[in-house]
Each structure stands twice: as structure tokens, then as C-alpha cells.
Amino acid sequence: MAAAKKAVLGPLVGAVDQGTSSTRFLVFNSKTAELLSHHQVEIKQEFPREGWVEQDPKEILQSVYECIEKTCEKLGQLNIDISNIKAIGVSNQRETTVVWDKLTGEPLYNAVVWLDLRTQSTVENLSKRIPGNNNFVKSKTGLPLSTYFSAVKLRWLLDNVKKVQKAVEENRALFGTIDSWLIWSLTGGVNGGVHCTDVTNASRTMLFNIHSLEWDKELCEFFGIPMEILPNVRSSSEIYGLMKAGALEGVPISGCLGDQSAALVGQMCFQDGQAKNTYGTGCFLLCNTGHKCVFSEHGLLTTVAYKLGRDKPVYYALEGSVAIAGAVIRWLRDNLGIIKSSEEIEKLAKEVGTSYGCYFVPAFSGLYAPYWEPSARGIICGLTQFTNKCHIAFAALEAVCFQTREILDAMNRDCGIPLSHLQVDGGMTSNKILMQLQADILYIPVVKPSMPETTALGAAMAAGAAEGVGVWSLEPEDLSAVTMERFEPQINEEESEIRYSTWKKAVMKSIGWVTTQSPESGLP
């Protein structure tokens, strides 16, 4: 059995992919971009009150260690030497906000997740202070004032959590998005941990000027955020520090990208006008706009796409964000019990092949792009006595596709050049019915790489290409060709349009549902 010993050529790169619903660690061959092994752990979400979404930062950190250890064990079983892992990249859920104590390393409150709605009245109060003729927040950050972004979550923590207020007063507090919390902890924590973030994550806080690529004094004053608690902003590809514990001690952490930017890199969307859509907890369509910031007239965000090296230029993107995509499947599983596992939805939807006039608008956290309508709530309409759980399952999948179509329409209007096809990735793309539905509803081909883990791949590419690591070439001629699966539209255009306009009618019915805000202060 001598042949069983597998020689793996070329250096390896690891990637931490810390998403909203799970953490993964994946190891790639830097010469071929082949995925060699990975491990995944689901993350608990807590809903202490209606509209509140929290996670335990220590559980998230523990899950990262667990995924790294388990993946290294699996590599050992494959006779792959983990000393070949030359770098680690980090990709993460973006706007989720953590404040911790730099002396004890303890979080001062749960992580407030990007989906969380508790800051609605904070947003309303702040928006009254923005002059109508000069929306300096939007012009500096590219973002609308919304519960989605970190600054308002941080403002809420400063206003409502005594431990956070006290730690800030005593100069013990550090703020970060999940990438900062992980990098600080993995590089030593209280013993010299590196407090940093990258430009892509910083651009989602609402405190960062996307033109000067620095924390903005005027924005920090507007939100009342002390600048000394903010992490140092670095490029997306450079050595931040070394792993201080575990199987990969001493390996540099040298790539950091918010998950959607990481997927843009992993999908090789390096040219102006290239776009990808990621189907995760939410759905995120990003279009590379090159070195220029394009401001949307149609409800999209302007964001930093990546900056792959300290001396490399910054690239920008237009982004359409849908809050609820995979989360609707999790809801059908955990809240309604219609399915036992997420994979089961495909089977249910296949049984009927239609929603039979049933439409589902999963506005659980209001509507994000292109509406930015916090008053919306989820509705299922068009129900008859004939409707069963299979139709609802089908309507849930259709909802993901309709929401993507709304964003694509907005993007086509902003960019002026309609996309000829859509590149897709993320966990939900393994659902063939969803992919076919998406092609039918967009009425353009949907193209999916055979290896859907493009978010982790993007973080690995950034880490491997960093100065001082240099094991991954980002030159177009060196990037390995990816095999793709194509889904062509199979219905006629007229039917596609009728279904889409009915969906829009349903969206209108979901808007304006919440008229008074629930009180938000007073902790549970």
C-alpha cells in the first residue's frame, strides 16, 4: 500500500470563514486552488427579544480553534504535513459588533449581529441630525443610515451597557467586527494581540471614510464614538501577526476580507464590471467598479471591494444586500419544523414544482436593498386551501431569487451595462432547484463554480499573496481555470415577468407593517 501516501505539491494556505450561521476552516493548495480538507461547526444565534440577534464571541472564537484542530487532524489522516501551511486568511460576517476588555480578554457583551434591529430608534434620532442638503454620512461612507451597520450598534452598547461604558472610561475597551476580535485573540489576545481590521470590514462600520481610507473624525463625533477603541486599519493582504496557539502556532495571519469581498476575490472578479452573488444567511451581489466609487441612485451601497497589499491600489464595489436568504430555510427548519434539515427543502420544492400562487416575502429584519425599509415584516400571501408545505418551501426559494432580481435590476440601472450572466457561490448554490429558478427569474444564465467555497478561497488567496508569504500568485495567467456549471433560463420571458410583478405586489403589502417602535433600552 505504498501508493496510499499522498504527496501534495506546493505550499498550502488555510482560511477561517466565520459566517453568521457557521464557522469553517479550509485548507487549499496554493498552486492549484484545490480544496484539500475542511471542518465546519454551526454557531448558535440568540434572540433575547423580538428583533434582537446576538452571538457569543467566545463561542465564535472556540469554534475557530475547533475547526482548525479538526481540519489539521483530517489532513494528518490524508498524510498531508500541516507544516506546509504557510499562511492563514480570515473572512467574516461583516457588521457584527464586539466590544471586549483588553486587560482580561473577556467580551463585555454578546456580539450584536448585523441582522439586529434594536437600534431603530437610534437610527431615527441620528437621521434627524443629518442636514437634508448634505448627507455627509452617505457621501463619506457610501452607506445609508441603517440598523445594519456597526456604528449604531456600538452607539447602542455605549448607551445601554454599563460594563461597556465603564471599560471605555477606564481605557480598557476595544471595539471590532468579528475579524478584529478573531485576529486579536489568535495573535495573543491579552499577551500582545494585534488590534486591527482591513479596509473592507472598516468600510462597513459607518465610521470609515472610503475616499481617504481612514477612520473619520467627523463621523466618530457624529456617532459619539471614542476613536481610541477602534482597530488599526490595514490592507486586505499583509502579515498582521502570527498564530500564538494550537496546531498552527507560528503561522502568519496575512489575509483579511469581509466575507462578500472575499467571495468577489475568490470568484476572480478583478475587472471593472464583473459581479458575483453569494447565497448565505443573506444574499449579497457585488459588482467591481474598479478604482472609482460609484454612488447608487437605486438603493445599492458603495463599499471597498479589496486592497490586496499595503502599496496596492484600492478597488471599490457596488453592493446589493438582502438580509434574509439562507436564514429563511433555517427559519422553516427551526421555527416551523416544516423540514428537519436544510437540504430537505429541495425535495419538498421538487414535489410540486410551483408555489401555486403563493408568495413569501421574508422581511424578518425589514427590507434591505433596494428599499431600506425598516417598517416591513415577513408575509406569506396568496394562500388557498390547496396550499401545502411544499408550496411554501417553493415560495421560500423563489423569494431568494426575486430579491436577487430586484438587486440586479438596480445594479443594471446604476452601471448602465446589464449583466450577461450571474456568477454565484455560497452554501445555497448546491440546491439545483434554486439555481434553475434563479436563471428563470433573472432570465439570464447562472454560472456556478464546481467548488462553491469561494469566500474561503478569496481569504486564502489574499493570505497566500501577502508580502513576506508570496506563495499565491494573483497574476491572471497564473490563476487556475475554474470549472463551471451553467443553468440556462427554461421558461418564457413573459411568465418570468408576470411572476416578478406579482412578487413586487407582495413586497408592497409587507411594507409599513410596523408603525410604532418597540422600546429598545432596558436589557433583558
Side-chain angles (χ1 to χ4, degrees):
M1 282 301 288
K5 211 169 171 57
K6 287 215 327 206
V8 173
L9 303 171
L12 313 180
V13 179
V16 172
D17 179 3
Q18 206 299 299
T20 315
S21 50
S22 72
T23 299
R24 291 191 283 261
F25 184 69
L26 307 90
V27 174
F28 297 92
N29 180 334
S30 68
K31 294 291 174 260
T32 61
E34 178 197 358
L35 174 61
L36 300 175
S37 186
H38 68 101
H39 188 76
Q40 177 168 352
V41 172
E42 201 169 290
I43 297 287
K44 280 200 284 296
Q45 292 182 34
E46 296 170 29
F47 306 99
R49 290 189 185 183
E50 195 212 340
W52 292 29
V53 190
E54 297 179 1
Q55 290 178 332
D56 178 355
K58 288 169 82 170
E59 184 196 340
I60 290 175
L61 178 61
Q62 202 40 54
S63 72
V64 171
Y65 279 121
E66 185 182 334
C67 288
I68 290 174
E69 298 301 316
K70 289 279 198 299
T71 304
C72 287
E73 282 171 25
K74 291 176 183 178
L75 289 170
Q77 287 157 10
L78 296 168
N79 291 321
I80 296 169
D81 188 348
I82 60 170
S83 69
N84 281 331
I85 298 175
K86 300 303 180 198
I88 294 168
V90 174
S91 110
N92 56 288
Q93 48 168 322
R94 294 174 298 176
E95 300 76 8
T96 298
T97 299
V98 189
V99 180
W100 68 95
D101 186 320
K102 66 181 174 193
L103 302 182
T104 64
E106 291 293 311
L108 295 163
Y109 189 76
N110 268 346
V112 180
V113 176
W114 56 277
L115 283 164
D116 187 282
L117 291 177
R118 76 186 67 185
T119 54
Q120 190 49 48
S121 65
T122 310
V123 168
E124 283 161 15
N125 294 337
L126 286 166
S127 58
K128 292 183 190 124
R129 294 175 32 212
I130 296 180
N133 58 349
N134 171 25
N135 187 343
F136 68 96
V137 176
K138 183 140 198 232
S139 59
K140 286 182 176 204
T141 65
L143 310 172
L145 191 54
S146 157
T147 57
Y148 182 17
F149 306 106
S150 315
V152 289
K153 301 179 193 301
L154 185 48
R155 183 65 260 153
W156 186 91
L157 290 167
L158 290 164
D159 288 339
N160 293 285
V161 182
K162 291 275 188 293
K163 279 167 80 172
V164 171
Q165 294 160 358
K166 199 163 167 350
V168 169
E169 282 159 21
E170 294 172 6
N171 197 20
R172 290 183 285 112
L174 296 177
F175 151 79
T177 40
I178 294 294
D179 55 307
S180 298
W181 162 243
L182 292 179
I183 292 173
W184 183 81
S185 302
L186 296 171
T187 57
V190 293
N191 300 312
V194 179
H195 188 217
C196 70
T197 187
D198 89 301
V199 287
T200 67
N201 282 298
S203 78
R204 312 297 292 192
T205 58
M206 240 178 185
L207 301 169
F208 185 72
N209 186 316
I210 61 173
H211 311 286
S212 67
L213 302 184
E214 289 171 336
W215 298 123
D216 190 286
K217 199 162 177 292
E218 186 186 11
L219 289 170
C220 289
E221 279 166 9
F222 175 71
F223 288 104
I225 305 296
M227 289 182 85
E228 57 276 10
I229 71 175
L230 304 178
N232 290 320
V233 183
R234 315 271 285 267
S235 78
S236 313
S237 174
E238 58 179 88
I239 294 176
Y240 313 110
L242 306 180
M243 288 285 288
K244 284 291 190 292
L248 298 179
E249 195 177 335
V251 177
I253 299 175
S254 54
C256 178
L257 291 150
D259 50 11
Q260 304 314 321
S261 286
L264 196 72
V265 171
Q267 284 265 35
M268 327 283 178
C269 295
F270 294 129
Q271 309 288 280
D272 197 338
Q274 286 185 307
K276 66 87 208 169
N277 196 28
T278 299
Y279 298 75
T281 299
C283 221
F284 301 89
L285 181 59
L286 267 71
C287 180
N288 188 334
T289 61
H291 302 308
K292 58 184 184 297
C293 282
V294 176
F295 282 88
S296 171
E297 303 292 316
H298 303 100
L300 304 180
L301 312 178
T302 306
T303 199
V304 175
Y306 52 82
K307 184 181 190 299
L308 294 173
R310 216 173 302 186
D311 309 321
K312 295 284 195 301
V314 65
Y315 280 74
Y316 295 97
L318 269 177
E319 171 172 338
S321 325
V322 169
I324 303 291
V328 74
I329 315 300
R330 197 169 170 163
W331 181 81
L332 290 174
R333 183 192 75 184
D334 297 348
N335 293 35
L336 293 198
I338 284 179
I339 48 175
K340 287 194 175 62
S341 72
S342 300
E343 292 70 44
E344 228 176 289
I345 191 148
E346 191 170 0
K347 205 164 86 229
L348 285 189
K350 200 172 184 169
E351 263 176 57
V352 285
T354 169
S355 68
Y356 205 79
C358 165
Y359 285 81
F360 190 161
V361 182
F364 301 157
S365 297
L367 287 166
Y368 282 16
Y371 301 98
W372 298 103
E373 190 45 81
S375 69
R377 283 298 174 272
I379 58 166
I380 302 177
C381 52
L383 299 173
T384 66
Q385 280 177 309
F386 183 72
T387 312
N388 63 30
K389 66 180 182 178
C390 298
H391 299 117
I392 291 173
F394 195 94
L397 294 180
E398 257 186 337
V400 175
C401 301
F402 286 131
Q403 291 182 104
T404 299
R405 163 88 190 255
E406 294 205 274
I407 289 176
L408 201 71
D409 284 359
M411 202 156 282
N412 287 340
R413 290 201 290 274
D414 278 328
C415 293
I417 311 159
L419 288 179
S420 57
H421 65 275
L422 182 64
Q423 284 176 236
V424 301
D425 58 76
M428 291 183 84
T429 59
S430 59
N431 184 325
K432 286 199 166 22
I433 288 193
L434 179 73
M435 293 294 95
Q436 186 55 54
L437 266 176
Q438 189 66 87
D440 290 347
I441 287 166
L442 295 179
Y443 218 70
I444 55 173
V446 166
V447 181
K448 169 192 168 212
S450 54
M451 201 283 298
E453 299 290 356
T454 48
T455 301
L457 178 60
M461 287 164 67
E467 193 182 329
V469 179
V471 299
W472 205 305
S473 166
L474 299 183
E475 296 304 319
E477 62 274 12
D478 296 331
L479 293 170
S480 41
V482 183
T483 50
M484 298 284 191
E485 189 177 356
R486 270 175 88 88
F487 295 84
E488 302 282 345
Q490 286 179 356
I491 60 173
N492 67 41
E493 195 161 4
E494 191 185 359
E495 190 193 333
S496 182
E497 289 307 319
I498 290 168
R499 275 157 64 179
Y500 183 47
S501 59
T502 313
W503 153 265
K504 290 193 113 154
K505 208 162 87 183
V507 170
M508 288 303 123
K509 296 206 183 309
S510 78
I511 289 175
W513 192 262
V514 180
T515 46
T516 54
Q517 275 309 320
S518 52
E520 55 165 56
S521 58
L523 293 169

